[in-house]
Amino acid sequence: MCSVPAPRSCRSPGANGNLSARAHPLSSAALGTWLCLLLLLAACVPTTSSSPGIKGRVTRSALEYGRRFGLELLRSVLQKEHDVNLQGSYQAPFLGRLNYTVPQIHIHELQMNDSTVDFAEDVGVQLTVHRARIQLNATWRAQLGAWQDSGSVRLRVKDLALAVLLGLGADERGHPSVWAAGCDVRGTDLHLEFRQGQSWLYNLLVPLLQRTLRQQLNKKLCVEIQKGINRLQDRLKNVRVSAQLDPFAAIDFSLLGQPEITKQHGDVGLKGEFFGVHGQWQSPFSAKPMGLPELHEPMLLVAVTEFVANTAAFVYFTAGALRRNITAEMLPRRFPLKLKTESMGSFAPQLQQRFPSLPVELHLWARRQPLLSCHSDALHGALFGSAEAFVVLPNATRVPAFLLNIDANVTGKPTIAGNRLGGTVGLKSLSVVQVTSHVGPLQVEKLENMLKFGLWLFGVPWANKRLRPGIPLPTPRGITLLHPRLSLHEGFMLIATDLQYEP
């Protein structure tokens, strides 16, 4: 039997029936964030006593692999036209005070070949760049007394050092957030060349202007980085933290709990709870605390607890989605139990006598919600079903024949290959109990053996044939799981994988 998670009383995310405020149609970009999104999700959020249903860990190897994406982001922020409005003045000997304005710059070249990215403990991520090169053109205006002039200037900076500390957080609704926790830019080798206007005069003053301009430029670069981070934060405010999966269920994957950002890794907890689209239901389950193994080689670890599966089963059961009607045409041709009264006469003798040679229809439903538990050997599931048989008369009237309770214990072995999650299932035990009969007593043991034989011979192979190819995992566009490994632990399933990005 499966272990039953401890009950609790809690308010479902969709308790007010207003799904539009919490859930949206499912998309891979929203679900998932494997490398970039998890880095953003690994944030300082308000402390809560709840445990996450899904837990992720990004290691230093993933951070190093993602370094080039951070540099590309930085290039996209900087390598374009900027309205900077640099202003200053200089007291030129014998000439008076020279006032200048640089309203706009255009960065043409940005090289950052020596860079590192690290976790900043309890804060976020730090990007450090050494010996960078930058080249830009700018427009300028100058005034010396009543005399005015304008033109352009070319600026080349070598040995530029940059350190950006990106803070990671979350708002009260579980959305990820980012902020500039620190920025320092230093350029030691700066060369100016004025063009147009009276450039010959200003070029004579270049050695005197470079120190002031260097200070202004260093400050303005940090301002532009701050603006880029603010734009990213504006986009993150609209990141979906829930998704509607179908007409019955949605999942809440908002940030939950205080993450742990150490020098070696960043951990993040997601709620991972299913909730009903149209109902106000209280889930009887709570996630249990779990600890991730200390694996430093994979870029990404993702643990999915049995809590996620059990809340999903609860939602579908409560919504009435776990029911199906079975007709003779739906069973395999060689299935030992035929949905005909003459076939069922072997365990229900009076059925054939009262309704000779008529079709039978089975109505199946879950009388209790399925329960799942995860152990190191396999996933264990307990199914609690009922089946009512109806005789279909020639005029299409359905006459109730008998009602059974059918319970089963199953096991599952999940598998992963590339970006697809599959698996196999097995039947451990099956029990059949007669509840009522309108066609006399049933030979329940004979029926039970017939069902076991049919499921082992046809049902389980049919299910495994469809499970083995798997379903695609929700990953951001261009991200592929590289050499993924799947393991089972007490209470959760763990995926450890490297990542590969191809634009």
Side-chain angles (χ1 to χ4, degrees), residues 372 377-381 410-416 421-428 459-471 486 488 493:
L372 177 82
D377 61 332
L379 300 175
H380 293 246
V410 298
T411 59
K413 290 276 190 178
T415 59
I416 190 169
L421 181 66
T424 58
V425 295
L427 179 66
K428 288 185 64 179
V460 172
W462 177 88
N464 288 334
K465 183 179 179 180
R466 283 152 181 78
L467 287 173
R468 282 194 185 96
I471 58 174
L486 188 149
L488 298 178
M493 176 182 72

Side-chain angles (χ1 to χ4, degrees), residues 328 336-360 391-392 402 446 450:
L337 178 63
K338 305 296 182 182
L339 293 184
K340 299 285 186 179
T341 54
E342 61 267 29
S343 175
M344 291 186 171
S346 59
F347 62 86
Q350 295 185 29
L351 181 64
Q352 167 64 8
Q353 296 172 11
R354 295 179 57 180
F355 304 98
S357 302
L358 288 176
V360 175
V391 178
V392 183
F402 54 82
K446 189 173 184 179
M450 190 180 299

Side-chain angles (χ1 to χ4, degrees), residues 39 57-64 117-126 259-267 294 296:
L39 283 175
R57 170 172 294 173
V58 178
T59 65
R60 283 181 58 86
S61 57
L63 209 58
E64 178 59 27
V117 61
D118 296 288
F119 287 110
E121 198 164 0
D122 298 326
V123 178
V125 175
Q126 177 166 311
E260 298 177 0
I261 300 181
T262 70
K263 293 181 179 180
Q264 299 300 323
H265 57 72
D267 288 358
E294 292 295 331
H296 300 295

Side-chain angles (χ1 to χ4, degrees), residues 1 313-314 316-318 320-324 363-371 382-388 403-409 430-435:
M1 282 297 290
F314 169 77
Y316 286 109
F317 170 74
T318 308
L322 303 182
R323 51 177 66 236
R324 191 172 187 183
H363 292 190
L364 305 178
W365 68 91
R367 72 178 191 276
R368 289 170 51 190
Q369 79 150 78
L371 296 175
L383 310 178
F384 311 97
S386 293
E388 187 168 15
L403 175 64
L404 306 171
N405 283 343
I406 304 175
D407 297 342
N409 284 315
L430 181 78
S431 65
V432 179
V433 176
Q434 176 183 318
V435 180

Side-chain angles (χ1 to χ4, degrees), residues 243-262:
Q244 183 175 339
L245 305 177
D246 52 40
F248 304 101
I251 184 171
D252 180 350
F253 47 86
S254 57
L255 292 173
L256 183 68
Q258 180 74 20
E260 298 177 0
I261 300 181
T262 70

Side-chain angles (χ1 to χ4, degrees), residues 48-62:
T48 174
S49 59
S50 300
S51 296
I54 302 172
K55 192 171 184 179
R57 170 172 294 173
V58 178
T59 65
R60 283 181 58 86
S61 57

